[in-house]
Amino acid sequence: MLSPRDTTLAALRWQRQDRRENTKGAHMTDQGALFRRSLLAAAAALPSAAFAQTGGSVRPVRIVVPFPGGGTMDLVARLFAPILSAQLGAPIVVDNRPGGGTVIATQEAARSAPDGTTLLMAANSFTINPFVQRSLPFDAERDFAPLAHVAVLPHILVVHPSLGVRDLQGLIALSRSRPGGISYASYGTGTSNHLNTEILKARTGAEFTHVPYRGSGQWLPDLLEGRVQMVLAILPEVLPPAREGKLVPIAVAHETRLTAAPDVPTFAELGVAGFTSNSWFGFLTNAAVPEAQRARLSEALRAPLAVPEVRSRFAELWIEPTGMDAAAFGAFLRAERAQYAEAVRLAGLQPQ
């Protein structure tokens, strides 16, 4: 067991390394510095265990993130880093490897040494890619072991006010009455909100026409102008304009109503039982890492969710903490694969 002094020193090692590699000389704001110090203090208060030590030296633990810096996944990784550093007694390096629809980062993690010092931060694409991409340079099931599922960003279905509908039944009825149905935006062909909207179509008999984009920066202006009529998307993208009356919220694709949108019903409340859609975040490592080491990593990765500062920041960003252990995350991944395999079939997609 590391002492509070040792855990604080481990977190400070991460702080110095993260500042060198990622701020490039930029000064933190006073608010950011205060928040960082509060995280470090919280990290030092948590029980910890030494990890990844060889010959008296401590090897860094790398979190491979398949998206660029500044996005939600990157933010979660950096929010976890000081606490994880204290938990493991090792410096943490956040390694952004965007590109290839997350394949570049996943391949990098798959090829890492099975010593537990490389973690892959994964999202929906981890379970989707095997069904939409040919000849992946890794086997997502064979090469990786789940560690912890930590958070979700629930999706909410919103429509443009010009449709004149304010509930799900009205939307479904209107879609059936229109040749070609109602157009919906997505993050791109084969992405989570595309495939989950196809599942929604099959479950409800609605007629929706897919219009793929490259991220919300492209589709949101078109949605606000009514050039596409609806989208199933994360709250930070569509809830602010919905609160201004520029979009109409129809339903949340979550098990329960959301604190950020308490008046918006769930799909289950509207008769579509079991329908969920979200952007999730989890950690995996090389499948050859010894089981005892994976268990320590799983525990350490769930520790940040108990820190009030982390939960407060999650609430500000409308992120829902989960905290699944390795076994629960493994079951989740199996269910996701089955769901997306069916969604790909419904969408008529072929591996590219």
Side-chain angles (χ1 to χ4, degrees):
M1 184 75 71
L2 296 179
S3 69
R5 177 180 179 276
D6 291 335
T7 56
T8 301
L9 289 174
L12 288 170
R13 281 197 298 270
W14 169 82
Q15 182 185 45
R16 289 194 295 269
Q17 179 152 356
D18 184 69
R19 183 179 293 148
R20 285 197 302 270
E21 297 198 4
N22 298 297
T23 64
K24 299 185 186 300
H27 294 291
M28 291 190 296
T29 64
D30 290 342
Q31 184 179 7
L34 286 171
F35 183 71
R36 182 70 63 89
R37 285 197 293 271
S38 68
L39 276 181
L40 293 172
L46 291 171
S48 311
F51 179 79
Q53 296 190 12
T54 303
S57 63
V58 179
R59 289 172 288 170
V61 173
R62 181 172 57 138
I63 301 175
V64 182
V65 177
F67 294 101
T72 305
M73 179 183 279
D74 177 73
L75 184 149
V76 172
R78 295 180 190 280
L79 195 60
F80 273 43
I83 302 168
L84 187 61
S85 176
Q87 285 285 292
L88 299 177
I92 303 296
V93 177
V94 178
D95 183 4
N96 297 91
R97 299 270 181 138
T102 71
V103 170
I104 290 174
T106 309
Q107 180 181 16
E108 171 69 17
R111 291 177 173 176
S112 67
D115 58 6
T117 60
T118 298
L119 311 178
L120 173 66
M121 196 167 185
N124 306 63
S125 55
F126 182 78
T127 49
I128 294 172
N129 280 341
F131 303 107
V132 298
Q133 296 202 37
R134 291 186 187 277
S135 304
L136 288 173
F138 53 82
D139 185 307
E141 295 186 66
R142 182 194 64 210
D143 296 342
F144 290 94
L147 296 174
H149 181 295
V150 297
V152 298
L153 269 168
H155 292 171
I156 183 171
L157 179 65
V158 297
V159 302
H160 192 267
S162 63
L163 289 181
V165 298
R166 305 196 68 85
D167 57 53
L168 183 61
Q169 292 306 315
L171 176 64
I172 294 169
L174 181 63
S175 75
R176 292 172 180 170
S177 71
R178 289 190 172 191
I182 292 169
S183 63
Y184 74 92
S186 81
Y187 302 123
T189 299
T191 56
S192 60
N193 66 340
H194 167 215
L195 296 177
N196 287 329
T197 305
E198 292 299 310
I199 291 174
L200 181 63
K201 283 171 57 178
R203 295 279 302 276
T204 63
E207 295 292 336
F208 302 142
T209 299
H210 180 219
V211 182
Y213 289 80
R214 290 184 179 274
S216 59
Q218 291 189 4
W219 60 252
L220 186 55
D222 280 0
L223 178 64
L224 293 174
E225 292 296 326
R227 289 187 285 271
V228 287
Q229 286 81 51
M230 58 171 269
V231 72
L232 189 64
I234 59 175
L235 271 67
E237 293 169 334
V238 296
L239 192 55
R243 287 174 170 173
E244 296 174 4
K246 297 176 182 178
L247 298 172
V248 179
I250 298 296
V252 292
H254 197 58
E255 293 84 356
T256 60
R257 292 198 184 198
L258 303 173
T259 303
D263 296 330
V264 183
T266 67
F267 277 95
E269 290 178 83
L270 300 175
V272 189
F275 178 75
T276 60
S277 182
N278 55 58
S279 299
W280 56 263
F281 305 121
F283 291 89
L284 305 101
T285 194
N286 190 302
V289 172
E291 186 174 352
Q293 200 170 9
R294 298 203 307 265
R296 290 197 297 274
L297 285 166
S298 177
E299 183 177 2
L301 285 163
R302 287 175 284 134
L305 298 177
V307 175
E309 290 83 356
V310 172
R311 296 186 74 89
S312 175
R313 187 70 175 124
F314 271 21
E316 291 173 5
L317 299 168
W318 299 325
I319 299 172
E320 298 280 321
T322 54
M324 295 182 199
D325 62 14
F329 187 23
F332 171 86
L333 290 173
R334 289 190 292 274
E336 283 278 290
R337 291 186 184 104
Q339 174 177 308
Y340 285 130
E342 174 63 9
V344 166
R345 185 191 67 79
L346 291 169
L349 299 180
Q350 296 296 323
Q352 300 296 314

